[in-house]
Amino acid sequence: MTTADQMRIVEAKLARLLGSGPELGLKGQVLAEGGLIQGWVQSRRLVVVVGVSSGQYALVIFTSQTFPVGRVEDLAIDDVIPVDKELKCEIESGDAVLVNIKSGSSTKIMLEMLPGYHTQNFVAEIYRLTDLMRQDRKVAASSPSSETWLNQLRAAKTTDEALSRDLAQRMRVGEGRDTPTLDASPIPQPRSGSGRNTALVDLDADDDSPNTSLNRQEIALGGAAPIAARESVVKYQMALKEEQFTHKQTFTVFCGTWNVNGQSPISQVKAWLAVDEDPPDIYAIGFQELDLSKEAFVFNESIKEDEWQAIVFASLHPQAKYKRVKLVRLVGMMLIVFAKSTHMEHIHEITSETVGTGIMGKLGNKGGVAVRFEFHNTSICFVNSHLAAHVSEFERRNQDYHDICARMVFQNFVPTKSIKDHDQIFWLGDLNYRITDLDTATVKELLQENNIPDLLLSDQFLQQRKQRRVFTGYKEGDITFIPTYKFDPGTDMWDTSEKARAPAWTDRILWRGDYIEQIAYRSHMELKVSDHKPVSAVFKAGVKVIDPVKYRKIYEDVMKKLDRLENEFLPQVTVENTEIIFDGKVQFLETYTKTLTVANTGQVPVQYEFIKKLNDTSICKAWLTVEPSTGFIMPGEKSDIALELHVDKTTAGPLNAGADQMYDILVLHLVGGKDIFITVSGEYQKSCFGASINALCQMTVPISELSVGALMDLEKPPCTGSAISIGGEEPYPVPKELWFLCDLITSLGLDQEQLFLQPGLRKEILAIRDWLDTGLPVDKPDVSIHSAAETLLLFLESLREPILPFTLYGRCLDVSSNYLQCKQVISQLPQNHKNVFNYMTAFLREVIRHSAQNGIDPKIMATLFAGIFLRDPPGTNFGSGLRAKTNQQLLDHRKARFVHHFLINEPDD
């Protein structure tokens, strides 16, 4: 059932309660579905913004027996909140959107919603209406009819109270059952610094108190557990009591960002890093475009890393001694974190991660790097990012931001941590958002007048944040300095080149978390080596410091109470559904999610984990992910586990060939208890992505027109099936899909800058996929050349076996330094593979012939396509550590050298 269908049911309910005459002019605005959070209890609600012709609006909250709502009779009003100038909407974005509706200073409702189009529209509508009410204070309550309809709704709420209670009870308990059946909405997980209160029984209660009589069951509800779950229980209980053994201590954090445009370091940068009177406790210093050389791009090696690091270290505040906490670099993005030497003993669990958002999410010319650690008892994460360039590409910048948030996962933790899972986050970098709606001359004129407020109205970043599209929940200080981009290097003059780019605040610093106060936000005009000016911000951050005496006392008390309860209770859960079926066709490169709800129906906390089946190497098949794979559930609560189904380049081949089926069995293990088996199944829609070269060459019709049996016959090794043809056509020398992709790129123009280096848009890539699978040879889709280029890379990388078969992998690496021997290897290829190799190298040579316009370099192209032509055989393992990294780099270099021969030489040379 669609949202529009649910809206019609809601409107019918309102019309039944109020009537829909012209005097009311009743109209529904937007509707959203979310989980209403009440302490640690959550139940689903439907929320609609309703207005009347008089200009008054209200949030009407409904409860229902089923979701999506099926009948008007099942819908009951749970609450009515007038939209007025006092109403506030606060949101926090993560895996879900936490919407906090307040009236004045008090919270009316707290809803947890899934991120997406409907939630975004719902929140945007509340903001629009509250702004409207603040601007026109005469609106609301001025019309008798508007008061009447609100009173009618309130009366309807009273009438519906019995139905509401009945529906809520059914959702929690279920008729005729002894165990709860909980709804599938997410519930917040407790963690340190979450700021949410719980209604759990405190294990610290005084056993001898005359007013408190806790029996064993009540204490168990607070946190008793079997021995196997002891450590998790202790951590959980200590997190709940954190405020009892910690106190806030203020430290100074300095964040700096600078796009150095590939320039060599200058003698010192104290004008950037040491301008404050007092030395900061922590430095987080981010660079972008540190090194623009081919070596940095291709091999991720740069001598400038050491040079800039030495200059930075020499330029730190002279009144304190610092030690490096961590350095992380990805191509030109580098982040260095320093701390005072005296703080190092209190910094632990240090780790870093990188995310490249270049083409196919691989190349590190754009993306982010991050460093996280625990400082005393506060988790801190620093992120340095460089987002997509060019004025019009704000949507791609938004996409880069969300990709970094989704893919920046710190693996050294169980469960893993993402950026949002920290008490304090500092995000800095060249975000590349520009000034829109104003030409360069107007921008410079406003700057001459020092009219920064008016200029900021056209700032893309502020516009996107206001629309809640990026950096939701983050804060940024007031900008009082002039734009930091773009200058003529070595001067304070705005860009005088032919492109004459408009000045913009591309370089920004934001933060998120409690107990953070920004005390400075500025640029540093003295440093002129780059076309950007460096930016810095200074914060006072409140950090939770542990009192060891109090901690020890509370810890010992928790342990004593747990000791008395061990082995007295067994974990018990109810799983909502043990047979998960993904309806409809599952398509290549698309993500499908279903929720598995596990409810703790016992008297003790439950620790669960998904475990591997006998002889398996992982808990599930590669096309399925389970998140979280481990967890902890308190009595009477539940855990919502996301089962995500995604077929990509590595899993499409076996599914196409029939070597794998979309069916798996998950084993849910309760620590100290039983195992529960859950089946997951779906139907995969075959795609040319993931097929073999031989099979593709024999398909003279789109793959969607083939039966499953015919496709499996074509994919049998060796490929002995007859050609599938229309009108007696012979098999093609190269796959028609490959020809159409190369032709599409050529028709869009090989002169395009950043060709094969800039990523495409996901929706356009999916459109090309559908075109190749179902639509040939109809009109070409309307897409950008970057989307077409990325699709070509994805198509080649998805081939069931690479262009150069695995059997020749070692031979190719051995002869990579000799062009003649490389040609001999190519002559030994199977005919279809040889045709594809010659076709692709000819196409790439044609792309390189346009290098004067598109800036393509043969070495970069060879590096990009080397891993596609010469894919590592299955099971290849380089181990870990520096030696493994070096071995991988040497192999990558030999692969690139092999391919490079054929990009700079004609086949007859």
Side-chain angles (χ1 to χ4, degrees), residues 693-766:
I693 290 176
N694 290 334
L696 288 168
C697 288
Q698 294 189 77
M699 298 179 200
T700 59
V701 296
I703 195 172
S704 62
E705 297 184 16
L706 299 180
S707 67
V708 175
L711 180 59
M712 291 176 63
D713 184 57
L714 287 176
E715 290 287 3
K716 288 179 181 177
C719 192
T720 56
S722 60
I724 306 297
S725 62
I726 296 177
E729 294 184 34
E730 294 295 323
Y732 295 130
V734 297
K736 61 185 180 305
E737 293 83 3
L738 180 61
W739 185 90
F740 274 99
L741 283 170
C742 293
D743 180 65
L744 176 61
I745 295 169
T746 303
S747 66
L748 292 172
L750 299 181
D751 293 343
Q752 176 66 47
E753 292 183 6
Q754 297 287 303
L755 181 58
F756 285 106
L757 298 179
Q758 182 171 319
L761 292 174
R762 179 178 175 81
K763 62 182 179 181
E764 294 182 352
I765 294 171
L766 296 180

Coordinates of all heavy atoms in Angstrom, one line a residue, residues 693-766:
I693 N 31.6 -13.7 -20.6 CA 31.8 -13.2 -22.0 C 31.2 -14.1 -23.0 O 30.6 -13.7 -24.0 CB 33.3 -12.9 -22.2 CG1 33.8 -11.7 -21.3 CG2 33.6 -12.6 -23.7 CD1 35.3 -11.4 -21.4
N694 N 31.5 -15.4 -22.9 CA 31.0 -16.3 -23.9 C 29.5 -16.3 -24.0 O 28.9 -16.3 -25.1 CB 31.5 -17.8 -23.6 CG 33.0 -17.9 -23.8 OD1 33.6 -17.2 -24.6 ND2 33.6 -18.8 -23.0
A695 N 28.8 -16.3 -22.8 CA 27.3 -16.3 -22.9 C 26.8 -15.0 -23.5 O 25.9 -15.0 -24.3 CB 26.8 -16.5 -21.4
L696 N 27.4 -13.9 -23.1 CA 27.0 -12.6 -23.6 C 27.1 -12.5 -25.2 O 26.3 -12.0 -25.9 CB 27.8 -11.5 -23.0 CG 27.4 -11.2 -21.5 CD1 28.5 -10.2 -20.9 CD2 26.1 -10.5 -21.4
C697 N 28.2 -13.1 -25.7 CA 28.4 -13.1 -27.1 C 27.4 -13.9 -27.9 O 27.0 -13.6 -29.0 CB 29.8 -13.6 -27.5 SG 31.2 -12.5 -27.0
Q698 N 26.8 -14.9 -27.2 CA 25.8 -15.7 -27.9 C 24.4 -15.2 -27.7 O 23.4 -15.7 -28.3 CB 25.8 -17.1 -27.3 CG 27.1 -17.8 -27.6 CD 27.1 -19.3 -27.3 OE1 26.5 -20.1 -28.0 NE2 27.7 -19.6 -26.2
M699 N 24.2 -14.1 -26.9 CA 22.9 -13.5 -26.7 C 22.7 -12.4 -27.7 O 23.2 -11.3 -27.6 CB 22.8 -12.9 -25.3 CG 22.9 -13.9 -24.2 SD 22.7 -13.1 -22.6 CE 23.5 -14.3 -21.5
T700 N 21.8 -12.7 -28.7 CA 21.5 -11.6 -29.7 C 20.3 -10.9 -29.3 O 19.8 -10.1 -30.1 CB 21.4 -12.3 -31.1 OG1 20.4 -13.3 -31.1 CG2 22.8 -12.9 -31.5
V701 N 19.7 -11.2 -28.2 CA 18.5 -10.5 -27.7 C 18.8 -10.1 -26.3 O 19.7 -10.6 -25.6 CB 17.2 -11.4 -27.7 CG1 16.9 -11.8 -29.1 CG2 17.5 -12.6 -26.9
P702 N 18.1 -9.1 -25.7 CA 18.3 -8.8 -24.3 C 18.1 -10.0 -23.4 O 17.3 -10.9 -23.6 CB 17.3 -7.7 -24.0 CG 17.0 -7.1 -25.3 CD 17.1 -8.2 -26.3
I703 N 18.9 -10.0 -22.3 CA 18.9 -11.1 -21.4 C 17.5 -11.4 -20.8 O 17.2 -12.5 -20.4 CB 20.0 -10.9 -20.3 CG1 20.2 -12.2 -19.6 CG2 19.6 -9.8 -19.3 CD1 21.4 -12.2 -18.6
S704 N 16.7 -10.3 -20.7 CA 15.4 -10.5 -20.1 C 14.5 -11.4 -20.9 O 13.4 -11.9 -20.4 CB 14.7 -9.1 -19.9 OG 14.5 -8.5 -21.2
E705 N 14.8 -11.6 -22.2 CA 14.0 -12.4 -23.1 C 14.3 -13.9 -23.0 O 13.7 -14.7 -23.6 CB 14.1 -11.9 -24.5 CG 13.5 -10.5 -24.7 CD 13.5 -10.0 -26.1 OE1 13.7 -10.9 -27.0 OE2 13.4 -8.8 -26.4
L706 N 15.4 -14.2 -22.2 CA 15.8 -15.6 -22.1 C 15.2 -16.2 -20.9 O 15.0 -15.6 -19.9 CB 17.4 -15.6 -22.0 CG 18.2 -15.1 -23.1 CD1 19.7 -15.3 -22.8 CD2 17.9 -15.8 -24.4
S707 N 14.9 -17.5 -21.0 CA 14.4 -18.3 -19.9 C 15.6 -18.6 -19.0 O 16.8 -18.5 -19.4 CB 13.8 -19.6 -20.4 OG 14.8 -20.4 -20.9
V708 N 15.3 -18.9 -17.7 CA 16.3 -19.2 -16.8 C 17.1 -20.4 -17.2 O 18.3 -20.5 -17.2 CB 15.7 -19.5 -15.4 CG1 16.7 -19.9 -14.4 CG2 15.0 -18.2 -14.8
G709 N 16.4 -21.4 -17.8 CA 17.1 -22.6 -18.2 C 18.0 -22.3 -19.4 O 19.1 -22.9 -19.4
A710 N 17.6 -21.5 -20.3 CA 18.4 -21.2 -21.5 C 19.7 -20.4 -21.0 O 20.8 -20.7 -21.5 CB 17.7 -20.3 -22.5
L711 N 19.5 -19.5 -20.1 CA 20.7 -18.8 -19.6 C 21.7 -19.7 -18.8 O 22.9 -19.6 -19.0 CB 20.2 -17.7 -18.6 CG 21.3 -16.8 -18.0 CD1 22.2 -16.1 -19.1 CD2 20.7 -15.7 -17.1
M712 N 21.1 -20.6 -18.0 CA 22.0 -21.5 -17.3 C 22.7 -22.5 -18.3 O 23.9 -22.8 -18.1 CB 21.2 -22.4 -16.3 CG 20.6 -21.5 -15.1 SD 19.5 -22.5 -14.0 CE 20.7 -23.7 -13.4
D713 N 22.1 -22.8 -19.4 CA 22.7 -23.7 -20.4 C 23.9 -22.9 -21.0 O 24.9 -23.5 -21.3 CB 21.7 -24.1 -21.4 CG 22.3 -25.0 -22.5 OD1 22.8 -26.1 -22.0 OD2 22.2 -24.7 -23.7
L714 N 23.7 -21.6 -21.3 CA 24.8 -20.8 -21.9 C 25.9 -20.7 -21.0 O 27.1 -20.6 -21.4 CB 24.2 -19.4 -22.3 CG 23.3 -19.4 -23.5 CD1 22.8 -17.9 -23.7 CD2 24.1 -19.8 -24.8
E715 N 25.7 -20.7 -19.7 CA 26.7 -20.4 -18.7 C 27.5 -21.7 -18.3 O 28.4 -21.6 -17.5 CB 26.1 -19.8 -17.4 CG 25.7 -18.3 -17.7 CD 26.9 -17.4 -17.8 OE1 28.0 -17.8 -17.8 OE2 26.6 -16.1 -17.9
K716 N 27.0 -22.9 -18.8 CA 27.7 -24.1 -18.4 C 29.1 -24.1 -19.0 O 29.3 -23.8 -20.1 CB 26.9 -25.3 -18.9 CG 25.6 -25.6 -18.2 CD 24.9 -26.8 -18.7 CE 23.6 -27.0 -18.0 NZ 22.8 -28.1 -18.6
P717 N 30.1 -24.5 -18.2 CA 31.5 -24.6 -18.7 C 31.7 -26.0 -19.2 O 31.4 -27.0 -18.6 CB 32.3 -24.3 -17.4 CG 31.5 -24.8 -16.3 CD 30.1 -24.6 -16.7
P718 N 32.3 -26.1 -20.4 CA 32.6 -25.1 -21.4 C 31.3 -24.6 -22.0 O 30.3 -25.4 -22.0 CB 33.5 -25.7 -22.4 CG 33.2 -27.1 -22.4 CD 32.8 -27.4 -21.0
C719 N 31.3 -23.5 -22.6 CA 30.0 -22.9 -23.1 C 29.6 -23.6 -24.4 O 30.1 -23.2 -25.5 CB 30.2 -21.4 -23.4 SG 28.7 -20.5 -23.7
T720 N 28.8 -24.6 -24.3 CA 28.5 -25.4 -25.5 C 27.1 -25.2 -26.0 O 26.7 -25.7 -27.1 CB 28.6 -26.9 -25.1 OG1 27.8 -27.2 -24.0 CG2 30.0 -27.3 -24.7
G721 N 26.4 -24.3 -25.3 CA 25.0 -24.1 -25.8 C 24.9 -23.4 -27.1 O 25.9 -22.7 -27.5
S722 N 23.9 -23.6 -27.9 CA 23.7 -22.9 -29.2 C 23.4 -21.5 -29.0 O 22.9 -21.0 -28.0 CB 22.7 -23.7 -30.0 OG 21.4 -23.6 -29.3
A723 N 23.6 -20.7 -30.0 CA 23.3 -19.3 -30.0 C 21.8 -19.0 -29.9 O 21.0 -19.7 -30.5 CB 23.9 -18.6 -31.2
I724 N 21.5 -18.1 -29.0 CA 20.1 -17.6 -28.9 C 19.9 -16.5 -29.9 O 20.5 -15.4 -29.7 CB 19.8 -17.2 -27.5 CG1 20.1 -18.3 -26.5 CG2 18.3 -16.8 -27.4 CD1 19.4 -19.6 -26.7
S725 N 19.2 -16.7 -31.0 CA 19.2 -15.6 -32.0 C 17.8 -15.4 -32.5 O 16.9 -16.1 -32.2 CB 20.1 -16.1 -33.2 OG 19.5 -17.3 -33.7
I726 N 17.7 -14.2 -33.1 CA 16.4 -13.8 -33.8 C 16.7 -13.7 -35.3 O 17.6 -12.9 -35.6 CB 15.8 -12.5 -33.2 CG1 15.5 -12.7 -31.7 CG2 14.6 -12.1 -34.0 CD1 15.0 -11.5 -31.1
G727 N 16.0 -14.3 -36.1 CA 16.2 -14.2 -37.5 C 17.5 -14.9 -38.0 O 18.1 -14.5 -39.0
G728 N 18.0 -15.9 -37.2 CA 19.2 -16.6 -37.6 C 20.5 -15.9 -37.5 O 21.4 -16.1 -38.2
E729 N 20.5 -14.9 -36.6 CA 21.7 -14.1 -36.4 C 22.8 -15.0 -35.8 O 22.6 -15.9 -35.0 CB 21.5 -12.9 -35.5 CG 20.5 -11.9 -36.1 CD 20.4 -10.7 -35.1 OE1 21.4 -10.4 -34.5 OE2 19.3 -10.1 -35.1
E730 N 24.1 -14.7 -36.2 CA 25.2 -15.4 -35.6 C 25.6 -14.7 -34.3 O 25.3 -13.6 -34.1 CB 26.4 -15.4 -36.6 CG 26.1 -16.1 -37.9 CD 26.0 -17.6 -37.7 OE1 26.7 -18.1 -36.8 OE2 25.1 -18.3 -38.3
P731 N 26.3 -15.5 -33.5 CA 26.9 -14.9 -32.2 C 27.7 -13.6 -32.6 O 28.4 -13.6 -33.6 CB 27.7 -16.0 -31.6 CG 27.1 -17.3 -32.2 CD 26.7 -16.9 -33.6
Y732 N 27.7 -12.7 -31.6 CA 28.5 -11.5 -31.8 C 30.0 -11.7 -31.5 O 30.3 -12.5 -30.6 CB 27.9 -10.3 -31.0 CG 26.5 -9.9 -31.3 CD1 25.5 -9.8 -30.3 CD2 26.2 -9.6 -32.6 CE1 24.2 -9.4 -30.6 CE2 24.9 -9.2 -32.9 CZ 23.9 -9.2 -31.9 OH 22.6 -8.8 -32.3
P733 N 30.9 -10.9 -32.1 CA 32.3 -11.0 -31.8 C 32.6 -10.5 -30.4 O 33.4 -11.0 -29.7 CB 33.0 -10.2 -32.8 CG 32.0 -9.3 -33.4 CD 30.7 -10.0 -33.3
V734 N 31.8 -9.4 -30.0 CA 31.9 -8.9 -28.6 C 30.5 -8.7 -28.1 O 29.6 -8.6 -28.9 CB 32.7 -7.5 -28.6 CG1 34.1 -7.7 -29.0 CG2 32.0 -6.5 -29.4
P735 N 30.3 -8.7 -26.8 CA 28.9 -8.6 -26.3 C 28.3 -7.3 -26.8 O 28.9 -6.2 -26.8 CB 29.1 -8.5 -24.8 CG 30.4 -9.3 -24.5 CD 31.2 -9.0 -25.7
K736 N 27.0 -7.4 -27.2 CA 26.3 -6.2 -27.7 C 26.3 -5.1 -26.6 O 26.3 -3.9 -26.9 CB 24.9 -6.5 -28.2 CG 24.0 -7.1 -27.1 CD 22.7 -7.6 -27.7 CE 21.8 -8.2 -26.6 NZ 22.5 -9.3 -25.8
E737 N 26.2 -5.5 -25.3 CA 26.1 -4.5 -24.2 C 27.4 -3.7 -24.1 O 27.3 -2.5 -23.9 CB 25.9 -5.3 -22.9 CG 24.5 -6.0 -22.8 CD 24.5 -7.3 -23.4 OE1 25.5 -7.8 -24.0 OE2 23.4 -8.0 -23.4
L738 N 28.5 -4.4 -24.4 CA 29.8 -3.7 -24.4 C 29.9 -2.7 -25.5 O 30.3 -1.5 -25.3 CB 30.9 -4.7 -24.4 CG 32.3 -4.1 -24.4 CD1 32.6 -3.3 -23.2 CD2 33.4 -5.2 -24.6
W739 N 29.4 -3.1 -26.7 CA 29.4 -2.2 -27.8 C 28.5 -1.0 -27.6 O 28.9 0.2 -27.8 CB 29.0 -2.9 -29.1 CG 29.1 -2.1 -30.3 CD1 30.1 -2.0 -31.1 CD2 28.0 -1.2 -30.8 NE1 29.9 -1.1 -32.1 CE2 28.6 -0.6 -32.0 CE3 26.8 -0.9 -30.4 CZ2 27.9 0.3 -32.7 CZ3 26.0 0.0 -31.2 CH2 26.6 0.6 -32.3
F740 N 27.3 -1.2 -27.0 CA 26.4 -0.1 -26.8 C 27.0 0.9 -25.7 O 26.8 2.1 -25.8 CB 25.0 -0.6 -26.4 CG 24.1 -0.9 -27.5 CD1 24.0 -2.2 -27.9 CD2 23.5 0.1 -28.2 CE1 23.2 -2.6 -29.0 CE2 22.6 -0.2 -29.3 CZ 22.5 -1.6 -29.7
L741 N 27.6 0.4 -24.7 CA 28.2 1.3 -23.7 C 29.3 2.1 -24.3 O 29.4 3.3 -24.0 CB 28.7 0.4 -22.5 CG 27.7 -0.1 -21.5 CD1 28.3 -1.1 -20.6 CD2 27.0 1.0 -20.8
C742 N 30.2 1.5 -25.0 CA 31.3 2.3 -25.6 C 30.8 3.3 -26.6 O 31.2 4.5 -26.7 CB 32.3 1.4 -26.3 SG 33.2 0.3 -25.1
D743 N 29.7 2.9 -27.4 CA 29.1 3.8 -28.3 C 28.4 5.0 -27.6 O 28.5 6.1 -28.1 CB 28.1 3.1 -29.2 CG 27.4 4.0 -30.2 OD1 28.1 4.5 -31.1 OD2 26.2 4.2 -30.1
L744 N 27.8 4.7 -26.5 CA 27.1 5.7 -25.7 C 28.1 6.7 -25.2 O 27.9 8.0 -25.3 CB 26.4 5.1 -24.5 CG 25.7 6.1 -23.5 CD1 24.6 6.9 -24.2 CD2 25.1 5.3 -22.4
I745 N 29.3 6.3 -24.7 CA 30.3 7.2 -24.2 C 30.8 8.0 -25.3 O 31.0 9.2 -25.2 CB 31.4 6.4 -23.5 CG1 30.9 5.7 -22.3 CG2 32.6 7.3 -23.1 CD1 31.8 4.6 -21.7
T746 N 31.1 7.4 -26.5 CA 31.6 8.1 -27.6 C 30.7 9.2 -28.1 O 31.0 10.3 -28.4 CB 31.9 7.2 -28.8 OG1 32.9 6.2 -28.3 CG2 32.6 7.9 -29.9
S747 N 29.4 8.9 -28.1 CA 28.4 9.8 -28.6 C 28.2 11.0 -27.6 O 27.9 12.1 -28.1 CB 27.0 9.1 -28.8 OG 26.5 8.7 -27.6
L748 N 28.5 10.8 -26.4 CA 28.4 11.9 -25.4 C 29.6 12.8 -25.4 O 29.6 13.8 -24.8 CB 28.2 11.3 -24.0 CG 26.8 10.6 -23.7 CD1 26.8 9.9 -22.4 CD2 25.7 11.6 -23.8
G749 N 30.7 12.3 -26.0 CA 31.8 13.2 -26.2 C 33.1 12.8 -25.4 O 33.1 12.9 -24.2
L750 N 34.1 12.4 -26.1 CA 35.3 11.9 -25.4 C 36.2 13.1 -25.0 O 37.2 12.9 -24.4 CB 36.2 11.0 -26.4 CG 35.5 9.7 -26.8 CD1 36.4 8.9 -27.7 CD2 35.1 8.9 -25.6
D751 N 35.8 14.3 -25.2 CA 36.5 15.5 -24.8 C 36.2 15.9 -23.4 O 36.8 16.9 -22.8 CB 36.3 16.7 -25.7 CG 36.8 16.5 -27.1 OD1 37.7 15.6 -27.3 OD2 36.4 17.2 -28.1
Q752 N 35.3 15.2 -22.8 CA 34.8 15.6 -21.4 C 35.9 15.5 -20.4 O 36.6 14.5 -20.3 CB 33.6 14.7 -21.0 CG 33.1 14.9 -19.6 CD 32.5 16.2 -19.4 OE1 31.6 16.6 -20.2 NE2 32.8 17.0 -18.4
E753 N 36.1 16.6 -19.6 CA 37.1 16.6 -18.5 C 36.7 15.5 -17.5 O 35.6 15.2 -17.2 CB 37.2 18.0 -17.9 CG 37.8 19.0 -18.8 CD 38.0 20.3 -18.1 OE1 37.7 20.4 -16.8 OE2 38.4 21.3 -18.7
Q754 N 37.7 15.0 -16.8 CA 37.6 14.0 -15.7 C 36.9 12.8 -16.2 O 36.3 12.0 -15.3 CB 36.8 14.7 -14.6 CG 37.4 15.8 -13.9 CD 38.6 15.4 -13.0 OE1 38.5 14.6 -12.1 NE2 39.8 15.9 -13.3
L755 N 36.9 12.5 -17.5 CA 36.3 11.2 -18.0 C 37.0 10.0 -17.3 O 38.2 9.9 -17.2 CB 36.5 11.2 -19.5 CG 35.9 9.9 -20.2 CD1 34.4 9.8 -19.9 CD2 36.1 10.0 -21.7
F756 N 36.2 9.1 -16.8 CA 36.6 7.9 -16.1 C 37.2 8.2 -14.7 O 37.7 7.3 -14.0 CB 37.6 7.1 -16.9 CG 37.0 6.3 -18.0 CD1 37.1 6.7 -19.3 CD2 36.2 5.2 -17.7 CE1 36.5 6.0 -20.3 CE2 35.6 4.5 -18.8 CZ 35.7 4.9 -20.1
L757 N 37.2 9.5 -14.3 CA 37.7 9.8 -13.0 C 36.6 10.4 -12.1 O 36.7 10.3 -10.9 CB 38.8 10.9 -13.1 CG 40.0 10.5 -13.9 CD1 41.1 11.6 -13.9 CD2 40.7 9.2 -13.3
Q758 N 35.5 10.9 -12.6 CA 34.4 11.4 -11.8 C 33.3 10.4 -11.8 O 32.9 9.9 -12.8 CB 33.9 12.7 -12.4 CG 32.8 13.4 -11.6 CD 32.5 14.8 -12.1 OE1 33.4 15.6 -12.4 NE2 31.3 15.1 -12.2
P759 N 32.7 10.1 -10.6 CA 31.7 9.1 -10.5 C 30.4 9.6 -11.1 O 30.1 10.8 -11.2 CB 31.5 8.9 -9.0 CG 32.0 10.2 -8.4 CD 33.1 10.6 -9.3
G760 N 29.5 8.7 -11.5 CA 28.2 9.0 -12.1 C 27.1 9.0 -11.0 O 27.4 8.9 -9.8
L761 N 25.9 9.3 -11.4 CA 24.8 9.3 -10.5 C 24.2 7.9 -10.4 O 24.0 7.2 -11.5 CB 23.7 10.3 -10.9 CG 24.2 11.8 -10.8 CD1 23.1 12.7 -11.4 CD2 24.4 12.1 -9.3
R762 N 23.8 7.4 -9.3 CA 23.3 6.1 -9.1 C 22.0 5.8 -9.9 O 21.9 4.8 -10.6 CB 23.0 5.8 -7.6 CG 22.5 4.4 -7.3 CD 22.3 4.2 -5.8 NE 21.7 2.9 -5.6 CZ 22.3 1.8 -5.6 NH1 23.6 1.7 -5.8 NH2 21.7 0.6 -5.3
K763 N 21.1 6.8 -9.9 CA 19.9 6.6 -10.6 C 20.1 6.4 -12.1 O 19.4 5.7 -12.8 CB 18.9 7.7 -10.3 CG 19.3 9.1 -10.7 CD 18.3 10.2 -10.4 CE 18.8 11.6 -10.8 NZ 17.8 12.6 -10.4
E764 N 21.1 7.1 -12.6 CA 21.4 7.0 -14.1 C 22.1 5.7 -14.4 O 21.8 5.1 -15.4 CB 22.3 8.2 -14.5 CG 21.6 9.5 -14.4 CD 22.5 10.7 -14.9 OE1 23.7 10.5 -15.1 OE2 22.0 11.8 -15.0
I765 N 22.9 5.2 -13.5 CA 23.5 3.9 -13.7 C 22.5 2.8 -13.7 O 22.5 1.9 -14.5 CB 24.6 3.6 -12.6 CG1 25.7 4.6 -12.7 CG2 25.1 2.2 -12.6 CD1 26.7 4.6 -11.6
L766 N 21.5 2.9 -12.8 CA 20.4 1.9 -12.8 C 19.6 2.0 -14.1 O 19.1 1.0 -14.6 CB 19.5 2.1 -11.6 CG 20.2 1.9 -10.2 CD1 19.2 2.1 -9.1 CD2 20.8 0.5 -10.1

